[in-house]
Amino acid sequence: MILIAFKQQNMKKISYSFTQLMKLHLHDYHVNLKAKMVPFAGYEMPVQYPQGVLKEHLYCRESCGLFDVSHMGQVKVFGEDRMKFVETLTTGDFQTKKSGQSVLCLILNEKAGIIDDTIVAKRDDHIHIVVNAGNKFIDMKQMDKIIKDYNYKVQYEYLKDKPLIAVQGPNAHKVLNEVFGTEYNLDKIPFMFMVNIKKNGIDYQINRCGYTGEDGYEISVESSKAQELCDQLLATKMAQFCGLGARDSLRLEAGLCLHGHEMDDTISPYEAKLMWTVRKPNKETGKYNESAAFIGRDALPQRQKDAKFKRMGFITQSGIARPPCDIEFQGQKVGSVTSGTYSPNLKKGLGFAFINNEYAKDGTQLQADIRGSKVNITLSPTPFVPQRYYKPEKK
Amino acid sequence: MYMRSIFKLRQAFSVLTKYTKDHEWIKYDTQSKIAKIGITDYAQKELGDIVHVDFQKVGLVFKTHQSLGAIESVKVAADIYAPVAGEIVGINEDLKDSPNLINEKAEETWILQAKVQNESELDTLLDKQSYDKIINK
């Protein structure tokens, strides 16, 4: 029995800061909740609380899970060229978006490899970007490079370790209404929409989004008020803290990708099946509605031709296929697992794998080589568990 | 009282319990010469919710430290290593449907039964006191 698998899996993400782990602002808060802390993306992060991953996962699907995601990179971009800047940096389509609307998109390199995935919100006087913790310094290097190469008139502000709390689950809107009051209509804001509110002199930035497949919000708040916010969220008795363990099983059930697994700087959006996040030209005119082209676009046609495999969901017949794990057809390697977990909702092993194009069809039966034994898997459509994002009722 | 203490004494002598630094326990019945192998309560806690147990097949002749299967929790997989050399003679079928039995009673829930090749190899393993020292370090 060797008990270091979780750490091992995340080693590659924390290469820049292995010896000196950063602490979350709410570190002691989690320790008081008896969280088990592990290194992840350079931070000491809560992987689970005493109730354990299974219960945390199910509680999030039934009521509401709270996740401290302050390790993620929050960046504000100001300046007159900010639209050009964000259109160069990311693949998102922003011209038609209203202030407040948020977009999931990619940061590509010149070869159209995925440097990171990000959520970008258009605001009145700035653009708000949230990137992955493990990539944030790489992303900011790319930002610096763009500002220099293109001579854009922008400034960005990195909100270093600013607390960010994800509130996720079918009761998330009730939890927010109880904490902030109904006057802000937080239960009515559209999915992928960001608002700022001020209550009792405290500023909150709230985006209706998440990484669990459930309705939910991410709340950004100044450090000195973060603990109070967590106390208030917990006091609703409808919400509990969940760790990275549950976050991973929730996102996989919801069919959501994780950078470093389903994406990296060698993988193209074609292979990752993320072309839906990439800006496209107008079908009739063939012209882009944009002020600048994104980096990596020129490489995309070639990457489309070269794509030999694609990301597929799979369900195992028994056991769990986690990376590294080969996928075979009649003993021949046809793919490899990128993420695998046990699904608490489906009570099965499932995950994502890159599968050679000729085998990449939902319903195809293949074998996973799990520690030497061949286990049948079925390629399956995702999400595995239906996403339940907020949709306004139409009158 | 006397009878009971004798009974206890006999039990203690017929089943020898040892531990590995990798958090397996082995309970060796000196009469039947069969050992039961499981993981410790400490290991169970570290793994968290156990959702699947992967077994090697009955009949497998194994060396010391060879993998005898794996335990999967939601987040991690951990190999079960052979504390001594031997041959698998039984697996705990209950764990196929209820792997969480290990979470509930790790020290009593055996995972597999094995014929021990060389009884003296058990002497190289840790007793309870030494194992507790390792986990409380």
Side-chain angles (χ1 to χ4, degrees), chain B residues 38-57:
Chain B
I39 66 164
T40 65
D41 191 53
Y42 173 83
Q44 153 302 105
K45 278 190 192 137
E46 287 293 305
L47 285 172
D49 302 304
I50 294 167
V51 292
H52 182 77
V53 180
D54 245 2
F55 298 100
Q56 292 282 9
K57 290 193 173 64

Side-chain angles (χ1 to χ4, degrees), chain B residues 112-131:
Chain B
L112 46 96
Q113 288 185 319
K115 221 186 280 172
V116 175
Q117 194 185 69
N118 180 359
E119 228 176 78
S120 65
E121 207 186 339
L122 289 158
D123 299 338
T124 63
L125 299 175
L126 305 166
D127 59 18
K128 175 121 181 69
Q129 210 180 359
S130 318
Y131 176 71

Side-chain angles (χ1 to χ4, degrees), chain A residues 314 321-327 335-340 351-354 368:
Chain A
F314 69 84
R322 306 176 202 264
C325 173
D326 287 350
I327 303 293
S336 52
V337 174
T338 55
S339 289
F352 283 126
F354 285 136

Side-chain angles (χ1 to χ4, degrees), chain B:
Chain B
M1 278 306 282
Y2 179 69
M3 283 303 287
R4 197 190 284 172
S5 58
I6 284 205
F7 180 71
K8 262 189 170 175
L9 206 65
R10 281 189 52 172
Q11 205 178 33
F13 273 109
S14 69
V15 178
L16 179 66
T17 305
K18 292 279 193 168
Y19 298 84
T20 70
K21 61 176 176 18
D22 295 329
H23 313 289
E24 289 94 11
W25 54 253
I26 177 164
K27 292 179 187 176
Y28 180 66
D29 188 318
T30 49
Q31 272 158 9
S32 68
K33 312 270 180 196
I34 297 290
K36 287 177 177 166
I37 295 169
I39 66 164
T40 65
D41 191 53
Y42 173 83
Q44 153 302 105
K45 278 190 192 137
E46 287 293 305
L47 285 172
D49 302 304
I50 294 167
V51 292
H52 182 77
V53 180
D54 245 2
F55 298 100
Q56 292 282 9
K57 290 193 173 64
V58 170
L60 176 85
V61 177
F62 56 85
K63 292 178 192 150
T64 309
H65 212 66
Q66 187 173 330
S67 174
L68 299 181
I71 294 183
E72 299 263 12
S73 69
V74 183
K75 189 60 219 170
V76 301
D79 278 302
I80 308 157
Y81 291 116
V84 295
E87 178 188 339
I88 299 178
V89 295
I91 56 172
N92 188 347
E93 299 280 346
D94 292 347
L95 294 176
K96 286 187 174 167
D97 288 330
S98 311
N100 60 321
L101 287 174
I102 300 174
N103 289 122
E104 285 164 21
K105 286 180 176 176
E107 306 276 344
E108 289 160 41
T109 307
W110 60 275
I111 297 168
L112 46 96
Q113 288 185 319
K115 221 186 280 172
V116 175
Q117 194 185 69
N118 180 359
E119 228 176 78
S120 65
E121 207 186 339
L122 289 158
D123 299 338
T124 63
L125 299 175
L126 305 166
D127 59 18
K128 175 121 181 69
Q129 210 180 359
S130 318
Y131 176 71
D132 286 347
K133 258 187 211 163
I134 287 180
I135 58 171
N136 292 323
K137 235 196 295 194

Side-chain angles (χ1 to χ4, degrees), chain A residues 75-258:
Chain A
V75 175
K76 278 179 160 179
V77 183
F78 298 91
E80 58 179 287
D81 288 336
R82 62 181 185 275
M83 272 296 272
K84 282 185 193 163
F85 170 79
V86 78
E87 285 179 331
T88 308
L89 176 73
T90 76
T91 60
D93 205 337
F94 304 104
Q95 291 292 337
T96 57
K97 299 290 184 290
K98 286 182 223 149
S99 178
Q101 272 190 287
S102 308
V103 175
L104 171 67
C105 53
L106 306 173
I107 298 174
L108 301 181
N109 59 28
E110 299 283 353
K111 294 174 180 165
I114 304 171
I115 296 174
D116 206 358
D117 61 324
T118 175
I119 289 186
V120 178
K122 197 168 160 181
R123 307 306 309 267
D124 287 340
D125 64 340
H126 71 278
I127 285 164
H128 191 88
I129 301 178
V130 180
V131 295
N132 281 301
N135 298 328
K136 60 188 176 187
F137 300 110
I138 300 166
D139 297 331
M140 283 189 269
K141 257 191 201 162
Q142 180 79 347
M143 293 180 201
D144 294 337
K145 188 177 181 313
I146 289 172
I147 293 170
K148 197 167 150 258
D149 291 355
Y150 292 77
N151 208 12
Y152 286 148
K153 290 187 186 105
V154 293
Q155 314 86 45
Y156 72 83
E157 183 192 354
Y158 166 44
L159 311 176
K160 185 178 179 295
D161 299 345
K162 186 181 180 192
L164 185 65
I165 307 297
V167 183
Q168 300 282 303
N171 284 335
H173 66 286
K174 291 185 197 160
V175 169
L176 260 70
N177 270 357
E178 203 166 310
V179 169
F180 295 103
T182 51
E183 63 267 33
Y184 298 103
N185 289 317
L186 293 171
D187 54 337
K188 305 273 186 344
I189 62 172
F191 185 65
M192 296 296 274
F193 198 89
M194 186 184 267
V195 296
N196 280 70
I197 65 170
K198 198 178 189 106
K199 188 175 168 74
N200 301 331
I202 306 167
D203 288 310
Y204 301 92
Q205 179 188 270
I206 302 177
N207 199 357
R208 195 164 200 166
C209 66
Y211 196 45
T212 59
E214 298 296 325
D215 182 22
Y217 305 82
E218 289 181 0
I219 308 173
S220 180
V221 64
E222 58 191 281
S223 297
S224 61
K225 305 296 176 192
Q227 189 166 333
E228 193 184 325
L229 172 64
C230 293
D231 286 342
Q232 289 169 330
L233 292 166
L234 288 174
T236 64
K237 305 271 183 213
M238 288 183 281
Q240 280 177 12
F241 267 95
C242 305
L244 287 178
R247 190 168 163 80
D248 196 50
S249 52
L250 287 160
R251 70 97 187 167
L252 274 169
E253 283 187 349
L256 302 172
C257 299
L258 175 61

Side-chain angles (χ1 to χ4, degrees), chain A residues 46-47 49 56-57 59-60 64-68 240-244 246:
Chain A
V47 64
Y49 297 82
E56 289 167 26
H57 177 116
Y59 189 80
C60 178
C64 182
L66 305 176
F67 302 82
D68 187 344
Q240 280 177 12
F241 267 95
C242 305
L244 287 178

